[in-house]
Amino acid sequence: MFFFKCLLKKSSLHIPKSYSRLIYLVLRDNILKKLTIMFIKVFNLIFLVEICGLGQYKAPNSTKYATVCLNCEMGTYQNDRGKSSCKACFKGMYQDKTGQSDCKYCAPGTYQNITGQSKCLLCPTGAYQDEYGQHKCKVCPAGTFQWDEGKDLCFYCPTGMYQNMTKQADCKPCGRGYYQDEMGAIKCKMCPPDIRLYPNNLAIQQQCPKLA
């Protein structure tokens, strides 16, 4: 206020004494109004210009006197302040909420092979993923299978079955004249000529043909 009074005092020296009291008041009010507007603009520019926080970015319609902050969209994040854009989530990650400062890792059984996504994808049948934050699934090896989606493991083929291919949703039964007494097999075993010689092998007794 001292600054304003000094300016008004100096400006009043240039006003002729012959001017009426009304004109003097109008001129004084105009000077005070202009100084007030100037002071507000300078104050806003120095102290009140907002810096967008974490999970936000500066909107394009922001001005030097007013900053408009927007939340980062799903699939993006911002871990720095005062930025004009958000960052896309990396592969193997996602973000399903707005205004976030980081991304989430895809859970086991899921993956994401594209950046900037709001969700992860389920591993398909015949595949699995047992780790966090992956951009692709692992293939079930031969001798195993997975019939469901979004799983973190594969199952061994049971006895009496086999699987000689990878990325499969089921196993194959042993054909006639063959058997399998182990789990996770990639092929079946040939039945012996006489199953009576193997009375303690349940697989042979159940899977191999009996003699007439």
Side-chain angles (χ1 to χ4, degrees):
M1 293 302 297
F2 177 76
F3 174 69
F4 291 156
K5 289 181 179 179
C6 290
L7 288 177
L8 291 175
K9 185 177 180 181
K10 289 183 179 181
S11 63
S12 65
L13 296 177
H14 299 286
I15 299 175
K17 295 181 179 180
S18 60
Y19 278 19
S20 67
R21 181 69 176 172
L22 179 61
I23 296 176
Y24 169 76
L25 292 175
V26 170
L27 290 176
R28 187 190 66 178
D29 290 344
N30 286 337
I31 294 174
L32 181 61
K33 182 178 180 181
K34 290 180 180 180
L35 289 174
T36 302
I37 293 174
M38 183 184 300
F39 176 78
I40 292 175
K41 287 182 178 181
V42 173
F43 184 83
N44 286 341
L45 185 62
I46 297 175
F47 299 103
L48 298 182
V49 174
E50 184 179 3
I51 297 178
C52 296
L54 302 180
Q56 296 182 322
Y57 69 99
K58 183 179 178 181
N61 61 338
S62 298
T63 67
K64 62 180 180 179
Y65 301 118
T67 300
V68 178
C69 295
L70 300 176
N71 286 336
C72 292
E73 298 178 355
M74 292 189 297
T76 66
Y77 73 103
Q78 183 52 260
N79 57 350
D80 293 318
R81 300 180 186 274
K83 299 299 181 180
S84 58
S85 63
C86 295
K87 305 173 184 178
C89 293
F90 294 109
K91 293 179 180 181
M93 305 183 77
Y94 73 103
Q95 182 51 258
D96 57 352
K97 296 181 180 179
T98 61
Q100 300 302 305
S101 60
D102 57 11
C103 295
K104 306 173 185 177
Y105 289 107
C106 291
T110 67
Y111 73 102
Q112 182 51 260
N113 58 352
I114 303 176
T115 60
Q117 298 302 301
S118 61
K119 63 179 181 180
C120 296
L121 306 174
L122 298 177
C123 290
T125 59
Y128 73 103
Q129 181 51 259
D130 56 352
E131 298 180 82
Y132 283 89
Q134 300 303 305
H135 68 277
K136 63 180 180 179
C137 296
K138 301 175 182 179
V139 172
C140 290
T144 68
F145 72 102
Q146 179 49 260
W147 57 273
D148 202 1
E149 297 179 333
K151 299 302 179 181
D152 59 355
L153 54 79
C154 295
F155 298 108
Y156 288 113
C157 291
T159 58
M161 305 187 79
Y162 75 103
Q163 183 52 262
N164 60 345
M165 300 177 64
T166 62
K167 200 178 180 180
Q168 297 302 303
D170 55 18
C171 296
K172 307 171 186 177
C174 293
R176 184 174 177 80
Y178 290 85
Y179 77 100
Q180 183 52 258
D181 57 352
E182 298 179 276
M183 298 179 64
I186 60 175
K187 64 179 181 179
C188 294
K189 303 173 183 179
M190 185 177 292
C191 290
D194 189 352
I195 65 172
R196 292 175 296 183
L197 300 176
Y198 304 89
N200 297 324
N201 191 315
L202 186 60
I204 292 179
Q205 296 298 319
Q206 293 180 340
Q207 301 171 33
C208 292
K210 295 180 172 59
L211 297 176

